[in-house]
mmCIF file of all heavy atoms in Angstrom:
data_model
loop_
_atom_site.group_PDB
_atom_site.id
_atom_site.type_symbol
_atom_site.label_atom_id
_atom_site.label_comp_id
_atom_site.label_asym_id
_atom_site.label_seq_id
_atom_site.Cartn_x
_atom_site.Cartn_y
_atom_site.Cartn_z
ATOM 1 N N MET V 1 16.372 6.530 -6.039
ATOM 2 C CA MET V 1 15.492 5.566 -5.484
ATOM 3 C C MET V 1 16.007 4.178 -5.705
ATOM 4 O O MET V 1 15.863 3.238 -4.864
ATOM 5 C CB MET V 1 14.073 5.701 -6.047
ATOM 6 C CG MET V 1 13.044 4.875 -5.415
ATOM 7 S SD MET V 1 12.668 5.275 -3.649
ATOM 8 C CE MET V 1 13.058 3.789 -2.808
ATOM 9 N N ASN V 2 16.729 4.010 -6.846
ATOM 10 C CA ASN V 2 17.268 2.660 -7.188
ATOM 11 C C ASN V 2 18.346 2.298 -6.214
ATOM 12 O O ASN V 2 18.467 1.085 -5.890
ATOM 13 C CB ASN V 2 17.836 2.767 -8.619
ATOM 14 C CG ASN V 2 18.178 1.350 -9.142
ATOM 15 O OD1 ASN V 2 17.599 0.384 -8.772
ATOM 16 N ND2 ASN V 2 19.296 1.318 -9.964
ATOM 17 N N VAL V 3 19.105 3.240 -5.729
ATOM 18 C CA VAL V 3 20.133 2.974 -4.719
ATOM 19 C C VAL V 3 19.445 2.698 -3.349
ATOM 20 O O VAL V 3 19.833 1.731 -2.689
ATOM 21 C CB VAL V 3 21.082 4.124 -4.568
ATOM 22 C CG1 VAL V 3 22.053 3.898 -3.362
ATOM 23 C CG2 VAL V 3 21.959 4.263 -5.808
ATOM 24 N N LEU V 4 18.505 3.504 -3.037
ATOM 25 C CA LEU V 4 17.850 3.387 -1.646
ATOM 26 C C LEU V 4 17.054 2.135 -1.534
ATOM 27 O O LEU V 4 16.989 1.527 -0.436
ATOM 28 C CB LEU V 4 17.018 4.646 -1.409
ATOM 29 C CG LEU V 4 17.775 5.939 -1.321
ATOM 30 C CD1 LEU V 4 16.794 7.120 -1.168
ATOM 31 C CD2 LEU V 4 18.722 5.956 -0.167
ATOM 32 N N ARG V 5 16.454 1.642 -2.618
ATOM 33 C CA ARG V 5 15.665 0.441 -2.511
ATOM 34 C C ARG V 5 16.525 -0.790 -2.199
ATOM 35 O O ARG V 5 16.078 -1.682 -1.635
ATOM 36 C CB ARG V 5 14.769 0.215 -3.828
ATOM 37 C CG ARG V 5 15.630 -0.212 -4.952
ATOM 38 C CD ARG V 5 14.814 -0.279 -6.189
ATOM 39 N NE ARG V 5 15.565 -0.740 -7.365
ATOM 40 C CZ ARG V 5 15.760 -1.984 -7.718
ATOM 41 N NH1 ARG V 5 15.152 -2.966 -7.049
ATOM 42 N NH2 ARG V 5 16.516 -2.342 -8.710
ATOM 43 N N GLN V 6 17.781 -0.723 -2.602
ATOM 44 C CA GLN V 6 18.661 -1.882 -2.380
ATOM 45 C C GLN V 6 19.082 -1.999 -0.957
ATOM 46 O O GLN V 6 19.565 -3.060 -0.554
ATOM 47 C CB GLN V 6 19.884 -1.722 -3.295
ATOM 48 C CG GLN V 6 19.507 -1.775 -4.742
ATOM 49 C CD GLN V 6 20.740 -1.606 -5.707
ATOM 50 O OE1 GLN V 6 21.810 -2.270 -5.496
ATOM 51 N NE2 GLN V 6 20.585 -0.805 -6.751
ATOM 52 N N ILE V 7 18.821 -0.937 -0.161
ATOM 53 C CA ILE V 7 19.046 -1.067 1.278
ATOM 54 C C ILE V 7 17.768 -1.153 2.051
ATOM 55 O O ILE V 7 17.730 -1.031 3.258
ATOM 56 C CB ILE V 7 19.923 0.069 1.823
ATOM 57 C CG1 ILE V 7 19.302 1.465 1.556
ATOM 58 C CG2 ILE V 7 21.318 0.023 1.152
ATOM 59 C CD1 ILE V 7 20.023 2.600 2.233
ATOM 60 N N GLY V 8 16.662 -1.382 1.303
ATOM 61 C CA GLY V 8 15.363 -1.644 1.907
ATOM 62 C C GLY V 8 14.472 -0.460 2.195
ATOM 63 O O GLY V 8 13.508 -0.599 2.861
ATOM 64 N N LEU V 9 14.801 0.730 1.714
ATOM 65 C CA LEU V 9 14.021 1.915 2.064
ATOM 66 C C LEU V 9 12.615 1.790 1.476
ATOM 67 O O LEU V 9 11.685 2.374 2.042
ATOM 68 C CB LEU V 9 14.666 3.200 1.474
ATOM 69 C CG LEU V 9 13.977 4.469 1.899
ATOM 70 C CD1 LEU V 9 14.166 4.756 3.408
ATOM 71 C CD2 LEU V 9 14.525 5.680 1.180
ATOM 72 N N HIS V 10 12.396 1.003 0.363
ATOM 73 C CA HIS V 10 11.024 0.942 -0.115
ATOM 74 C C HIS V 10 10.049 0.316 0.870
ATOM 75 O O HIS V 10 8.917 0.665 0.898
ATOM 76 C CB HIS V 10 11.050 0.131 -1.439
ATOM 77 C CG HIS V 10 11.636 -1.261 -1.423
ATOM 78 N ND1 HIS V 10 12.937 -1.438 -0.988
ATOM 79 C CD2 HIS V 10 11.128 -2.411 -1.608
ATOM 80 C CE1 HIS V 10 13.194 -2.779 -1.006
ATOM 81 N NE2 HIS V 10 12.092 -3.393 -1.386
ATOM 82 N N HIS V 11 10.596 -0.500 1.732
ATOM 83 C CA HIS V 11 9.767 -1.131 2.802
ATOM 84 C C HIS V 11 9.312 -0.099 3.861
ATOM 85 O O HIS V 11 8.200 -0.021 4.333
ATOM 86 C CB HIS V 11 10.427 -2.267 3.481
ATOM 87 C CG HIS V 11 10.758 -3.417 2.532
ATOM 88 N ND1 HIS V 11 9.640 -4.148 2.008
ATOM 89 C CD2 HIS V 11 11.759 -3.957 2.060
ATOM 90 C CE1 HIS V 11 10.152 -5.130 1.232
ATOM 91 N NE2 HIS V 11 11.451 -5.031 1.303
ATOM 92 N N VAL V 12 10.311 0.809 4.133
ATOM 93 C CA VAL V 12 10.008 1.917 5.082
ATOM 94 C C VAL V 12 8.932 2.885 4.472
ATOM 95 O O VAL V 12 8.017 3.277 5.188
ATOM 96 C CB VAL V 12 11.282 2.614 5.443
ATOM 97 C CG1 VAL V 12 10.943 3.830 6.350
ATOM 98 C CG2 VAL V 12 12.294 1.761 6.104
ATOM 99 N N LEU V 13 9.111 3.156 3.242
ATOM 100 C CA LEU V 13 8.203 4.091 2.579
ATOM 101 C C LEU V 13 6.741 3.471 2.478
ATOM 102 O O LEU V 13 5.787 4.166 2.646
ATOM 103 C CB LEU V 13 8.664 4.448 1.147
ATOM 104 C CG LEU V 13 9.988 5.231 1.088
ATOM 105 C CD1 LEU V 13 10.552 5.327 -0.284
ATOM 106 C CD2 LEU V 13 9.804 6.673 1.706
ATOM 107 N N ALA V 14 6.708 2.118 2.267
ATOM 108 C CA ALA V 14 5.398 1.462 2.135
ATOM 109 C C ALA V 14 4.760 1.470 3.523
ATOM 110 O O ALA V 14 3.517 1.705 3.602
ATOM 111 C CB ALA V 14 5.616 0.058 1.714
ATOM 112 N N PHE V 15 5.508 1.369 4.607
ATOM 113 C CA PHE V 15 4.904 1.407 5.977
ATOM 114 C C PHE V 15 4.266 2.791 6.184
ATOM 115 O O PHE V 15 3.149 2.927 6.655
ATOM 116 C CB PHE V 15 6.009 1.100 6.941
ATOM 117 C CG PHE V 15 5.523 1.137 8.415
ATOM 118 C CD1 PHE V 15 4.752 0.209 8.935
ATOM 119 C CD2 PHE V 15 5.842 2.288 9.186
ATOM 120 C CE1 PHE V 15 4.217 0.251 10.283
ATOM 121 C CE2 PHE V 15 5.412 2.342 10.477
ATOM 122 C CZ PHE V 15 4.620 1.329 11.018
ATOM 123 N N ARG V 16 4.999 3.896 5.890
ATOM 124 C CA ARG V 16 4.501 5.202 6.063
ATOM 125 C C ARG V 16 3.435 5.593 5.157
ATOM 126 O O ARG V 16 2.420 6.233 5.591
ATOM 127 C CB ARG V 16 5.687 6.169 5.891
ATOM 128 C CG ARG V 16 5.284 7.664 5.683
ATOM 129 C CD ARG V 16 4.512 8.225 6.790
ATOM 130 N NE ARG V 16 4.077 9.592 6.492
ATOM 131 C CZ ARG V 16 2.953 9.896 5.818
ATOM 132 N NH1 ARG V 16 2.234 8.966 5.210
ATOM 133 N NH2 ARG V 16 2.690 11.154 5.569
ATOM 134 N N ALA V 17 3.451 5.100 3.880
ATOM 135 C CA ALA V 17 2.484 5.552 2.944
ATOM 136 C C ALA V 17 1.131 4.887 3.042
ATOM 137 O O ALA V 17 0.078 5.433 2.759
ATOM 138 C CB ALA V 17 3.021 5.404 1.494
ATOM 139 N N ALA V 18 1.119 3.597 3.447
ATOM 140 C CA ALA V 18 -0.127 2.862 3.373
ATOM 141 C C ALA V 18 -0.320 1.936 4.592
ATOM 142 O O ALA V 18 -1.435 1.959 5.251
ATOM 143 C CB ALA V 18 -0.202 1.961 2.168
ATOM 144 N N SER V 19 0.671 1.233 5.069
ATOM 145 C CA SER V 19 0.452 0.278 6.144
ATOM 146 C C SER V 19 0.079 1.041 7.432
ATOM 147 O O SER V 19 -0.895 0.656 8.103
ATOM 148 C CB SER V 19 1.649 -0.611 6.291
ATOM 149 O OG SER V 19 1.502 -1.555 7.339
ATOM 150 N N LEU V 20 0.896 1.976 7.793
ATOM 151 C CA LEU V 20 0.661 2.733 9.069
ATOM 152 C C LEU V 20 -0.708 3.489 9.048
ATOM 153 O O LEU V 20 -1.422 3.344 9.990
ATOM 154 C CB LEU V 20 1.813 3.707 9.345
ATOM 155 C CG LEU V 20 1.641 4.488 10.636
ATOM 156 C CD1 LEU V 20 1.628 3.622 11.904
ATOM 157 C CD2 LEU V 20 2.817 5.505 10.772
ATOM 158 N N PRO V 21 -0.993 4.257 7.961
ATOM 159 C CA PRO V 21 -2.348 4.881 7.961
ATOM 160 C C PRO V 21 -3.508 3.934 8.093
ATOM 161 O O PRO V 21 -4.480 4.215 8.777
ATOM 162 C CB PRO V 21 -2.305 5.538 6.605
ATOM 163 C CG PRO V 21 -0.876 5.852 6.299
ATOM 164 C CD PRO V 21 -0.173 4.677 6.793
ATOM 165 N N CYS V 22 -3.401 2.815 7.465
ATOM 166 C CA CYS V 22 -4.477 1.783 7.500
ATOM 167 C C CYS V 22 -4.508 1.130 8.925
ATOM 168 O O CYS V 22 -5.587 0.834 9.441
ATOM 169 C CB CYS V 22 -4.335 0.695 6.482
ATOM 170 S SG CYS V 22 -4.716 1.228 4.793
ATOM 171 N N ARG V 23 -3.363 0.991 9.482
ATOM 172 C CA ARG V 23 -3.277 0.406 10.886
ATOM 173 C C ARG V 23 -4.052 1.344 11.879
ATOM 174 O O ARG V 23 -4.648 0.884 12.773
ATOM 175 C CB ARG V 23 -1.841 0.179 11.307
ATOM 176 C CG ARG V 23 -1.694 -0.424 12.704
ATOM 177 C CD ARG V 23 -0.209 -0.514 13.017
ATOM 178 N NE ARG V 23 0.534 -1.324 12.102
ATOM 179 C CZ ARG V 23 0.662 -2.647 12.238
ATOM 180 N NH1 ARG V 23 0.122 -3.241 13.280
ATOM 181 N NH2 ARG V 23 1.374 -3.361 11.363
ATOM 182 N N LEU V 24 -3.815 2.643 11.679
ATOM 183 C CA LEU V 24 -4.313 3.614 12.686
ATOM 184 C C LEU V 24 -5.786 4.005 12.436
ATOM 185 O O LEU V 24 -6.342 4.560 13.348
ATOM 186 C CB LEU V 24 -3.445 4.853 12.579
ATOM 187 C CG LEU V 24 -1.989 4.709 13.076
ATOM 188 C CD1 LEU V 24 -1.281 6.020 12.762
ATOM 189 C CD2 LEU V 24 -1.812 4.248 14.483
ATOM 190 N N ALA V 25 -6.305 3.643 11.364
ATOM 191 C CA ALA V 25 -7.678 4.117 11.009
ATOM 192 C C ALA V 25 -8.748 3.262 11.735
ATOM 193 O O ALA V 25 -8.571 2.050 11.864
ATOM 194 C CB ALA V 25 -7.943 4.021 9.563
ATOM 195 N N PRO V 26 -9.805 3.864 12.261
ATOM 196 C CA PRO V 26 -10.889 3.119 12.955
ATOM 197 C C PRO V 26 -11.489 2.083 12.009
ATOM 198 O O PRO V 26 -11.941 1.040 12.406
ATOM 199 C CB PRO V 26 -11.874 4.173 13.379
ATOM 200 C CG PRO V 26 -11.078 5.431 13.556
ATOM 201 C CD PRO V 26 -10.062 5.340 12.411
ATOM 202 N N HIS V 27 -11.678 2.470 10.741
ATOM 203 C CA HIS V 27 -12.291 1.558 9.771
ATOM 204 C C HIS V 27 -11.568 1.476 8.498
ATOM 205 O O HIS V 27 -11.037 2.427 7.923
ATOM 206 C CB HIS V 27 -13.759 2.117 9.419
ATOM 207 C CG HIS V 27 -14.587 2.225 10.639
ATOM 208 N ND1 HIS V 27 -15.150 1.180 11.279
ATOM 209 C CD2 HIS V 27 -15.051 3.349 11.247
ATOM 210 C CE1 HIS V 27 -15.878 1.626 12.277
ATOM 211 N NE2 HIS V 27 -15.875 2.914 12.290
ATOM 212 N N CYS V 28 -11.455 0.278 7.973
ATOM 213 C CA CYS V 28 -10.877 -0.024 6.657
ATOM 214 C C CYS V 28 -11.834 -1.006 5.949
ATOM 215 O O CYS V 28 -12.481 -1.793 6.571
ATOM 216 C CB CYS V 28 -9.467 -0.675 6.801
ATOM 217 S SG CYS V 28 -8.146 0.529 7.198
ATOM 218 N N GLY V 29 -11.859 -0.922 4.678
ATOM 219 C CA GLY V 29 -12.647 -1.833 3.905
ATOM 220 C C GLY V 29 -12.066 -2.009 2.486
ATOM 221 O O GLY V 29 -11.093 -1.297 2.021
ATOM 222 N N VAL V 30 -12.671 -2.890 1.722
ATOM 223 C CA VAL V 30 -12.332 -3.085 0.314
ATOM 224 C C VAL V 30 -13.658 -3.374 -0.434
ATOM 225 O O VAL V 30 -14.540 -4.096 0.060
ATOM 226 C CB VAL V 30 -11.336 -4.304 0.104
ATOM 227 C CG1 VAL V 30 -11.923 -5.583 0.659
ATOM 228 C CG2 VAL V 30 -10.979 -4.474 -1.341
ATOM 229 N N LEU V 31 -13.755 -2.794 -1.602
ATOM 230 C CA LEU V 31 -14.879 -3.025 -2.510
ATOM 231 C C LEU V 31 -14.423 -4.006 -3.567
ATOM 232 O O LEU V 31 -13.360 -3.840 -4.206
ATOM 233 C CB LEU V 31 -15.334 -1.727 -3.164
ATOM 234 C CG LEU V 31 -16.086 -0.801 -2.226
ATOM 235 C CD1 LEU V 31 -16.081 0.610 -2.843
ATOM 236 C CD2 LEU V 31 -17.438 -1.232 -1.983
ATOM 237 N N THR V 32 -15.198 -5.103 -3.705
ATOM 238 C CA THR V 32 -14.904 -6.132 -4.629
ATOM 239 C C THR V 32 -16.060 -6.256 -5.660
ATOM 240 O O THR V 32 -17.161 -5.837 -5.442
ATOM 241 C CB THR V 32 -14.611 -7.483 -4.012
ATOM 242 O OG1 THR V 32 -15.812 -7.929 -3.360
ATOM 243 C CG2 THR V 32 -13.496 -7.300 -2.928
ATOM 244 N N THR V 33 -15.818 -7.012 -6.772
ATOM 245 C CA THR V 33 -16.879 -7.270 -7.712
ATOM 246 C C THR V 33 -16.753 -8.604 -8.262
ATOM 247 O O THR V 33 -15.691 -9.252 -8.386
ATOM 248 C CB THR V 33 -16.773 -6.216 -8.895
ATOM 249 O OG1 THR V 33 -17.858 -6.400 -9.819
ATOM 250 C CG2 THR V 33 -15.418 -6.341 -9.671
ATOM 251 N N CYS V 34 -17.962 -9.122 -8.650
ATOM 252 C CA CYS V 34 -18.080 -10.414 -9.325
ATOM 253 C C CYS V 34 -18.270 -10.264 -10.838
ATOM 254 O O CYS V 34 -18.408 -11.212 -11.576
ATOM 255 C CB CYS V 34 -19.181 -11.282 -8.726
ATOM 256 S SG CYS V 34 -20.794 -10.510 -8.851
ATOM 257 N N LEU V 35 -18.322 -8.945 -11.279
ATOM 258 C CA LEU V 35 -18.549 -8.716 -12.665
ATOM 259 C C LEU V 35 -17.219 -8.633 -13.545
ATOM 260 O O LEU V 35 -16.138 -8.591 -12.941
ATOM 261 C CB LEU V 35 -19.222 -7.342 -12.792
ATOM 262 C CG LEU V 35 -20.585 -7.144 -12.069
ATOM 263 C CD1 LEU V 35 -20.992 -5.724 -12.129
ATOM 264 C CD2 LEU V 35 -21.601 -8.057 -12.676
ATOM 265 N N PRO V 36 -17.261 -8.746 -14.824
ATOM 266 C CA PRO V 36 -16.136 -8.550 -15.652
ATOM 267 C C PRO V 36 -15.474 -7.200 -15.250
ATOM 268 O O PRO V 36 -16.143 -6.305 -14.862
ATOM 269 C CB PRO V 36 -16.686 -8.520 -17.041
ATOM 270 C CG PRO V 36 -17.883 -9.349 -17.023
ATOM 271 C CD PRO V 36 -18.480 -9.044 -15.616
ATOM 272 N N ILE V 37 -14.139 -7.104 -15.385
ATOM 273 C CA ILE V 37 -13.408 -5.973 -14.760
ATOM 274 C C ILE V 37 -13.880 -4.651 -15.252
ATOM 275 O O ILE V 37 -14.019 -3.771 -14.339
ATOM 276 C CB ILE V 37 -11.871 -6.182 -15.003
ATOM 277 C CG1 ILE V 37 -11.100 -5.159 -14.247
ATOM 278 C CG2 ILE V 37 -11.589 -6.166 -16.544
ATOM 279 C CD1 ILE V 37 -11.156 -5.303 -12.773
ATOM 280 N N GLU V 38 -14.149 -4.365 -16.490
ATOM 281 C CA GLU V 38 -14.527 -3.040 -16.881
ATOM 282 C C GLU V 38 -15.861 -2.652 -16.280
ATOM 283 O O GLU V 38 -16.063 -1.577 -15.761
ATOM 284 C CB GLU V 38 -14.447 -2.938 -18.418
ATOM 285 C CG GLU V 38 -13.117 -2.873 -18.983
ATOM 286 C CD GLU V 38 -13.128 -2.384 -20.471
ATOM 287 O OE1 GLU V 38 -14.274 -2.465 -21.030
ATOM 288 O OE2 GLU V 38 -12.076 -2.100 -20.965
ATOM 289 N N ARG V 39 -16.818 -3.556 -16.430
ATOM 290 C CA ARG V 39 -18.178 -3.307 -15.862
ATOM 291 C C ARG V 39 -18.097 -3.227 -14.325
ATOM 292 O O ARG V 39 -18.760 -2.439 -13.719
ATOM 293 C CB ARG V 39 -19.146 -4.381 -16.327
ATOM 294 C CG ARG V 39 -20.547 -4.200 -15.820
ATOM 295 C CD ARG V 39 -21.225 -2.949 -16.295
ATOM 296 N NE ARG V 39 -22.559 -2.815 -15.704
ATOM 297 C CZ ARG V 39 -22.734 -2.247 -14.497
ATOM 298 N NH1 ARG V 39 -21.766 -1.795 -13.812
ATOM 299 N NH2 ARG V 39 -23.964 -2.135 -14.061
#
């Protein structure tokens, strides 16, 4: 992986693993909080 990331493969993997699935989904969201992190 150390060799492959130097030619940019980590960007390709990121696209397949998260960016593309989120792009294709009808709905995406994020849950946020105003509380201290553990609570």
Side-chain angles (χ1 to χ4, degrees):
M1 190 66 240
N2 191 31
V3 172
L4 295 176
R5 72 185 182 89
Q6 295 178 46
I7 60 174
L9 186 68
H10 56 300
H11 295 295
V12 177
L13 295 172
F15 178 75
R16 162 58 183 83
S19 183
L20 180 61
C22 287
R23 181 185 298 274
L24 296 174
H27 301 290
C28 284
V30 60
L31 287 163
T32 65
T33 183
C34 61
L35 300 173
I37 187 65
E38 287 193 345
R39 178 66 184 84

